[in-house]
Amino acid sequence: MAHAGLLLRLNCQEYKNWMKAGQCLLLLKDSLQEFIASEMSAFHKHLSNRIPPPRARCQCRARGRQFNPGCLVCAEWKKHILEHHTNRNGEIHWGNCDPSLWSGHYWEVAKAYMPRGCTDKKRPEACDASALLNLITTCDHFRGPDLSKVREVIKCRNDLMHSSDMKVSSAWLRQFGNKIQNFVSEFRHVPGIKEEGSKIQEVLQSDWAVLEQNLDTYDGFTLECDAANPVFPICDLELLMIDEMLQELYYQLEEEDTLSEKDLDNFQTMQNFLSEHKDLQSVFQSKMDKLALLLKNHAELKVGLGQE
Ligand SMILES: [Zn+2]
């Protein structure tokens, strides 16, 4: 029983639920990529026709939620992007974009409608489900479908990423399945999405039992277990999900002025989980160290402010 801990983890029902939901989001993202790429390309063309082309590439740079255009072309692009933004008075993560590329790269424009953290995502395939779903709700080019169905899925995705013990109940997973199906029927005009919807159903209904003999070939992180044929090997899936979760927690803590008890609890729960699973801990140690440093800086800042 060399892999007893691993076997226990992969067969824990609530942990499996958590991963299954992640797998469904990956499938949903796959089914949306091409559609979104072609829609955003058309949207870019629509805007390009209204904005004069630059004579040369400018030096304008955006940072975080700030972008003060340094040239007339970028000022025009900013104006047009905002006109189509459903959250134009709220937070816009301009830092996702390289404005000097707006004229020639449609995806740099698309990223103005996405949550933070998309700066290095140069193509739709590089973006996660959250980025694509948020794009649909914040760019009015996608008006038409009932966007509450999209927001429901975004909310589920956020629940998943904020579940610091990496577990969700079977009742939650059932509701999640319904919301995904609602989404699929709302976007039934998207080529291939119905087929992807069936695959999602299969994932939700499968058992994903991992047997000890499946672990024989386990060599660290390339476990290939045929648990109802996951499209993604389970171990890759958990690495991907934990990585996304740590990244999200980092962004969240970085933006907060003061940390709540809940933030500290979340960090502690994740740390406990990883310390119980050495295979995962070794992969994520440097990210956890980065988070710990961020928490320490927060605490020092608080003490510093208290002394003033
Ligand atoms: Zn510019």
Side-chain angles (χ1 to χ4, degrees):
M1 292 293 280
H3 303 303
L6 178 67
L7 210 54
L8 216 59
R9 177 174 89 231
L10 296 180
N11 284 316
C12 163
Q13 189 61 50
E14 290 173 316
Y15 186 67
K16 266 199 290 196
N17 289 342
W18 184 74
M19 285 202 295
K20 280 187 192 177
Q23 172 84 54
C24 293
L25 288 173
L26 281 174
L27 289 170
L28 189 67
K29 166 193 118 101
D30 285 351
S31 68
L32 288 172
Q33 264 161 213
E34 224 172 289
F35 164 72
I36 289 184
S38 103
E39 289 298 317
M40 287 322 283
S41 189
F43 174 69
H44 182 263
K45 207 168 166 197
H46 170 79
L47 296 193
S48 299
N49 288 338
R50 287 159 178 75
I51 302 171
R55 290 208 191 102
R57 191 171 165 185
C58 66
Q59 299 294 318
C60 298
R61 293 285 175 271
R63 218 181 130 77
R65 280 166 275 178
Q66 299 293 324
F67 176 51
N68 297 313
C71 74
L72 287 172
V73 176
C74 286
E76 275 296 297
W77 273 102
K78 184 180 178 182
K79 191 183 96 188
H80 281 81
I81 288 171
L82 279 174
E83 272 172 14
H84 293 276
H85 213 294
T86 59
N87 190 28
R88 72 189 70 139
N89 299 317
E91 286 184 2
I92 298 177
H93 296 281
W94 296 109
N96 281 339
C97 315
D98 180 344
S100 70
L101 296 175
W102 276 339
S103 297
H105 294 258
Y106 80 99
W107 202 245
E108 287 303 317
V109 174
K111 291 194 293 179
Y113 301 96
M114 291 183 193
R116 188 184 158 174
C118 297
T119 311
D120 57 350
K121 314 286 185 212
K122 302 291 177 200
R123 326 167 271 124
E125 300 79 43
C127 293
D128 61 18
S130 165
L132 300 186
L133 294 170
N134 276 286
L135 166 67
I136 295 177
T137 61
T138 48
C139 178
D140 71 3
H141 176 73
F142 292 98
R143 73 188 138 203
D146 178 359
L147 294 180
S148 70
K149 305 283 190 272
V150 187
R151 288 192 198 99
E152 294 265 327
V153 178
I154 294 176
K155 195 181 163 295
C156 287
R157 180 264 170 202
N158 291 344
D159 287 349
L160 208 60
M161 284 297 130
H162 299 155
S163 156
S164 51
D165 59 355
M166 298 162 216
K167 288 175 178 166
V168 291
S169 70
S170 299
W172 184 95
L173 191 68
R174 267 194 302 279
Q175 284 192 350
F176 168 77
N178 292 340
K179 286 168 184 170
I180 291 259
Q181 288 313 318
N182 290 343
F183 177 97
V184 168
S185 49
E186 198 60 36
F187 285 83
R188 55 188 174 278
H189 54 285
V190 173
I193 201 165
K194 268 191 252 163
E195 292 74 8
E196 219 65 44
S198 315
K199 278 195 216 164
I200 288 172
Q201 278 308 311
E202 271 175 45
V203 170
L204 291 171
Q205 286 159 9
S206 65
D207 181 38
W208 271 21
V210 178
L211 306 173
E212 202 190 355
Q213 60 260 37
N214 296 129
L215 298 183
D216 288 349
T217 52
Y218 182 67
D219 64 354
F221 311 106
T222 52
L223 171 67
E224 293 281 352
C225 48
D226 185 28
N229 300 313
V231 185
F232 219 65
I234 285 183
C235 281
D236 286 352
L237 177 64
E238 61 177 344
L239 292 182
L240 194 80
M241 288 181 71
I242 295 170
D243 190 60
E244 190 175 335
M245 194 162 170
L246 291 178
Q247 188 63 61
E248 182 124 342
L249 184 61
Y250 190 87
Y251 284 151
Q252 187 197 330
L253 297 182
E254 203 179 32
E255 286 193 350
E256 281 173 24
D257 293 330
T258 48
L259 296 183
S260 63
E261 281 293 316
K262 196 167 176 289
D263 294 328
L264 297 172
D265 283 351
N266 282 346
F267 176 75
Q268 197 54 53
T269 311
M270 292 188 77
Q271 201 163 41
N272 294 346
F273 176 85
L274 292 176
S275 65
E276 282 165 21
H277 302 281
K278 301 293 176 208
D279 57 326
L280 296 176
Q281 192 180 33
S282 59
V283 180
F284 293 108
Q285 193 56 54
S286 64
K287 290 213 166 169
M288 287 306 280
D289 290 347
K290 229 175 112 189
L291 269 166
L293 186 67
L294 184 69
L295 291 175
K296 189 168 161 265
N297 290 343
H298 260 297
E300 282 173 5
L301 190 69
K302 200 174 161 188
V303 171
L305 289 174
Q307 283 169 346
E308 272 177 22

